[in-house]
Amino acid sequence: MSVKRQILFWLGALVVFLGLAYLLGSALTPFAAAMFLSYLLDPLVSKLKSFGLNRLWASLLIMAVFCIVLILFAMIFVPLVAHQMGGFLMALPEYVVRLQSLVHDSLRPLLAEWNIDVPQPDMATSINDIVSQGSAWFGTFIKSLWSSGQALISLVSLFIVTPIVAFYLLIDWEDMIVALDDWLPRRHLDTIRVLCRDINRAVAGCIRGQTAVCLILGAYYSVGLTVVGLNFGALIGMMAGILSFIPYVGSIVGLFLALAVALSQFWPDWTMVMATAMVFFTGQFFEGYFLSPKIVGKSAGLHPVWLMFALLAFGHVLGFLGLLI
């Protein structure tokens, strides 16, 4: 009966939690992001505290540095990403048509042997079709964005409320841990503390470690593709680095996107196409044999399939809040 009662209690608690998260998703998102941010920055605050600073000044210094870095990032990289994104969207129809022609020319001898007649794609018609479809999609997107001003309000609150809440959480982090520890049943205190340490080690390996790996890979891919001379290399590299938080997705998406652009840009120079592919192959080798073992380690112990399922399922149900959870 005790086990059944515990199962029913935790299932009920899970249902209540998911229900509240679903109803208050947009309101809870800045606070969940603040918890995420404070969890990332707490080791730095503890390190400064070990040097003699009190927790208030250590938290203030860390948050100030973080905000300055965030502002500099926004000033330097956001215009670059916006510029490259605009140029990429304008060049996308031409890239698609070039790939169509490349595939058609490559398969023409084989199709001729089989007496299959496939017409040469009309570049002007294809570009017009792609541009018209893209314009319709973009217009629908702008209309939905304009009609739902709540998304803009949520975005503003995320960037304003999150640092403030994270600052207060960093100040009171140790007090919160002590308070939670006081709530634990004394009878199972040692067991719960051991479990919490294991959970913290796993979460830290997954969140802090994987965040560092994504940043390093994003920088490496961006620099490598730019050095190779690939058009929009910085944009593709950063996109691949961010998506690397999902196992295999970032590298695969970045590789196929980079190869598509490389074939459209460099063909028939196979050397530059292989150089583009080598950027991702070396990045995956570096990540698999050095970055993940040294930074993430084996502490997370979560199978990639479960991680992908968790991100997709919670993201579908709760949006950005679900991704954080």
Side-chain angles (χ1 to χ4, degrees):
M1 292 299 295
S2 177
V3 174
K4 289 183 179 179
R5 200 161 46 237
Q6 290 184 38
I7 293 175
L8 290 175
F9 171 80
W10 288 112
L11 283 177
L14 178 62
V15 170
V16 171
F17 170 76
L18 291 178
L20 290 175
Y22 180 77
L23 293 174
L24 303 174
S26 59
L28 292 178
T29 299
F31 297 92
M35 179 66 72
F36 181 88
L37 180 60
S38 58
Y39 184 77
L40 285 177
L41 299 179
D42 177 67
L44 298 177
V45 175
S46 299
K47 180 66 69 174
L48 288 180
K49 188 179 176 183
S50 66
F51 293 150
L53 282 176
N54 61 41
R55 192 161 187 91
L56 172 62
W57 286 106
S59 302
L60 184 61
L61 179 60
I62 290 298
M63 284 305 303
V65 172
F66 173 80
C67 291
I68 292 173
V69 171
L70 186 63
I71 292 172
L72 290 176
F73 178 84
M75 292 175 61
I76 296 174
F77 289 100
V78 170
L80 173 64
V81 171
H83 175 72
Q84 291 222 339
M85 180 64 75
F88 179 76
L89 292 176
M90 291 181 62
L92 182 60
E94 184 179 353
Y95 286 154
V96 173
V97 171
R98 286 183 184 176
L99 288 175
Q100 284 180 336
S101 300
L102 179 61
V103 172
H104 180 272
D105 294 339
S106 300
L107 295 179
R108 185 188 301 170
L110 182 62
L111 296 175
E113 291 181 5
W114 293 349
N115 296 322
I116 299 176
D117 185 22
V118 178
Q120 175 76 19
D122 186 359
M123 181 173 293
T125 304
S126 300
I127 290 179
N128 289 332
D129 291 342
I130 295 173
V131 170
S132 61
Q133 293 175 6
S135 301
W137 176 86
F138 188 72
T140 304
F141 172 76
I142 293 297
K143 186 183 297 183
S144 63
L145 188 64
W146 179 264
S147 62
S148 59
Q150 186 178 3
L152 182 60
I153 296 175
S154 300
L155 185 63
V156 172
S157 66
L158 185 66
F159 283 97
I160 295 178
V161 176
T162 298
I164 298 175
V165 176
F167 171 68
Y168 284 109
L169 288 177
L170 283 174
I171 295 175
D172 297 329
W173 191 268
E174 292 181 346
D175 295 334
M176 290 190 300
I177 299 299
V178 172
L180 291 174
D181 189 74
D182 290 338
W183 294 350
L184 300 178
R186 301 294 102 179
R187 179 181 171 185
H188 305 290
L189 182 62
D190 293 335
T191 302
I192 297 176
R193 283 177 174 173
V194 170
L195 292 174
C196 288
R197 292 191 193 100
D198 292 341
I199 292 171
N200 178 66
R201 191 180 303 113
V203 173
C206 186
I207 294 180
R208 294 172 183 157
Q210 197 62 43
T211 300
V213 170
C214 290
L215 292 175
I216 295 173
L217 284 179
Y220 173 77
Y221 290 146
S222 299
V223 173
L225 295 176
T226 302
V227 170
V228 169
L230 185 71
N231 291 338
F232 315 110
L235 176 65
I236 297 173
M238 283 187 281
M239 186 186 305
I242 294 173
L243 292 177
S244 295
F245 198 87
I246 308 174
Y248 309 116
V249 172
S251 58
I252 293 175
V253 171
L255 175 62
F256 278 100
L257 191 58
L259 286 180
V261 176
L263 286 171
S264 302
Q265 178 183 348
F266 298 127
W267 181 262
D269 187 356
W270 274 102
T271 304
M272 301 306 296
V273 176
M274 293 304 299
T276 301
M278 285 302 298
V279 172
F280 283 92
F281 292 151
T282 55
Q284 281 304 293
F285 177 83
F286 184 55
E287 186 267 338
Y289 288 93
F290 294 97
L291 289 181
S292 290
K294 296 294 183 182
I295 299 177
V296 179
K298 299 181 180 179
S299 57
L302 187 64
H303 196 279
V305 174
W306 281 116
L307 180 57
M308 285 188 277
F309 172 77
L311 289 171
L312 292 175
F314 276 78
H316 175 73
V317 175
L318 301 175
F320 183 66
L321 176 64
L323 294 178
L324 292 175
I325 295 175

